[in-house]
Amino acid sequence: MPNNNVLVIGRANSGKTQFAGQLYGRLQETDSALKISKTPANLEMLGEVLEALSQGNVAGHTVAETWDSLELPIVNDNNHEFIINWPEYAGEQWDTIFSTRSMSEQWKEQLESSNRWLIIIRLAEELTYPDFLDKLPNNTRPKKQDEPATSSGWDANAYWVEKLQILLHLSKIGTSKKVKQPKIAVLLSCYDELDADEVTPNNVLEKRLPLLASFLLSNWEKNSLSIWGLSALGKDLKPDSNDDDFIDEGAENQGWVIAPNETLNNKDADLTLPIKWLLDD
Ligand SMILES: Nc1nc2c(ncn2[C@@H]2O[C@H](COP(=O)(O)OP(=O)(O)O)[C@@H](O)[C@H]2O)c(=O)[nH]1
Ligand SMILES: [Mg+2]
């Protein structure tokens, strides 16, 4: 079995589905770094996401929740073919792996066939210990936000470090030497929600989830890790936004990525760039 595929890893509500839809649109453009190699099997789902976006809305949850999994077949400049495996179980599957420390055969196969991981983290939804303090009775700290539905009750640093350790363990990869494979691209999704002026995505991760940032930096080889900002939509969209920018300019002109050494001053519209980096040898 070829093992150089990409596995997408992320929690529910982190923007995976919208990114898949936007990426599919970009992959069909002539000037993007990667191309789609054949029609994906779950075209209907992607079509629904893009159709809603063309009307300035995000597709209703019924669409997203009926997704099972998605495989995007892509090809790079050197005519190498890869598959991006997009598990679409509203993220719950990951939490089962997390709580039971084991995984189904189907997942094992996906893990074994992927030596590149695309980790999607929506920092605005990741709770850390100080956020939990806010929720204690009689707390006197000013209230911040309501607990997102995705919260596992764990500090997000601990959650992600533990999750990566479980995945490494299940992949039989040790960390006594720095990890070269799997190569990892971390996408900080919904980057437009963050206060990230004049700093790089790496700085943002270090500030919000310092333990996770240092776990990644100390265990992965420098050339096997990169941290990007991603805003697949460029803004917050609801099922009834009817957003004029999307309607007038098209979904293909919305959304951007921030490369690892760049800031919000350098938005790049080519959403395929992090994946291109992952696929380069
Ligand atoms: N601000 C902002 N919100 C986004 C973006 N992408 C997705 N969202 C929001 O996040 C919600 C969940 O996205 P979705 O792709 O369904 O997440 P999934 O559960 O990981 O597949 C959407 O309904 C949007 O409201 C983005 O680029 N920026
Ligand atoms: Mg989804």
Side-chain angles (χ1 to χ4, degrees):
M1 195 191 314
N3 75 342
N4 55 2
N5 295 324
V6 177
L7 181 62
V8 177
I9 298 168
R11 299 211 218 195
N13 206 35
S14 56
K16 298 184 301 300
T17 300
Q18 299 305 318
F19 179 45
Q22 282 287 67
L23 190 63
Y24 181 53
R26 297 299 209 276
L27 287 168
Q28 295 172 80
E29 284 181 19
T30 46
D31 55 355
S32 78
L34 299 169
K35 303 275 179 314
I36 202 107
S37 67
K38 49 183 180 279
T39 308
N42 292 8
L43 189 61
E44 201 185 316
M45 303 164 179
L46 289 172
E48 278 180 72
V49 173
L50 277 179
E51 173 61 25
L53 287 177
S54 73
Q55 289 158 28
N57 304 317
V58 287
H61 261 299
T62 40
V63 182
E65 278 159 14
T66 54
W67 285 39
D68 186 19
S69 68
L70 166 73
E71 291 187 356
L72 270 185
I74 52 174
V75 58
N76 71 5
D77 293 345
N78 303 327
N79 276 329
H80 286 139
E81 296 199 15
F82 304 88
I83 292 170
I84 309 180
N85 278 312
W86 223 286
E88 274 286 336
Y89 300 95
E92 287 90 354
Q93 291 276 321
W94 282 121
D95 289 326
T96 311
I97 293 167
F98 186 74
S99 54
T100 62
R101 277 148 180 73
S102 62
M103 64 185 3
S104 66
E105 283 308 312
Q106 191 195 350
W107 271 89
K108 266 189 200 142
E109 261 172 44
Q110 292 208 348
L111 199 60
E112 276 164 21
S113 70
S114 312
N115 64 0
R116 300 146 207 270
W117 294 353
L118 188 65
I119 301 179
I120 300 187
I121 303 179
R122 183 178 185 177
L123 285 176
E125 299 259 312
E126 295 287 348
L127 293 181
T128 55
Y129 186 59
D131 301 316
F132 291 116
L133 286 185
D134 288 342
K135 295 182 200 329
L136 290 178
N138 308 325
N139 93 79
T140 51
R141 292 162 56 96
K143 201 162 170 50
K144 260 177 52 185
Q145 78 219 79
D146 285 323
E147 185 165 344
T150 50
S151 166
S152 58
W154 279 59
D155 178 289
N157 282 291
Y159 174 90
W160 278 104
V161 170
E162 177 80 355
K163 181 137 100 183
L164 288 172
Q165 276 175 331
I166 292 168
L167 290 174
L168 285 172
H169 175 72
L170 292 171
S171 313
K172 303 187 182 63
I173 294 163
T175 50
S176 54
K177 275 197 298 212
K178 287 206 173 193
V179 179
K180 196 166 173 205
Q181 283 191 354
K183 207 174 168 183
I184 287 189
V186 177
L187 298 191
L188 304 178
S189 60
C190 307
Y191 206 72
D192 57 283
E193 295 175 325
L194 304 172
D195 180 13
D197 286 340
E198 298 182 18
V199 288
T200 64
N202 196 11
N203 298 146
V204 175
L205 184 65
E206 268 172 358
K207 181 145 188 273
R208 298 276 312 203
L209 298 178
L211 206 74
L212 173 63
S214 77
F215 176 79
L216 289 169
L217 291 172
S218 56
N219 285 302
W220 260 263
E221 275 198 13
K222 215 164 159 244
N223 295 334
S224 292
L225 171 71
S226 73
I227 299 168
W228 303 68
L230 164 75
S231 178
L233 305 179
K235 58 170 79 169
D236 183 24
L237 278 195
K238 302 271 179 269
D240 57 356
S241 293
N242 302 319
D243 184 86
D244 284 338
D245 293 339
F246 275 80
I247 296 170
D248 299 342
E249 296 162 19
E252 66 279 14
N253 290 309
Q254 314 297 324
W256 36 263
V257 289
I258 308 291
N261 294 321
E262 298 294 348
T263 67
L264 281 175
N265 295 326
N266 273 311
K267 295 175 178 163
D268 196 313
D270 187 351
L271 300 181
T272 69
L273 289 177
I275 295 164
K276 181 177 188 301
W277 175 85
L278 259 186
L279 296 180
D280 280 347
D281 280 318

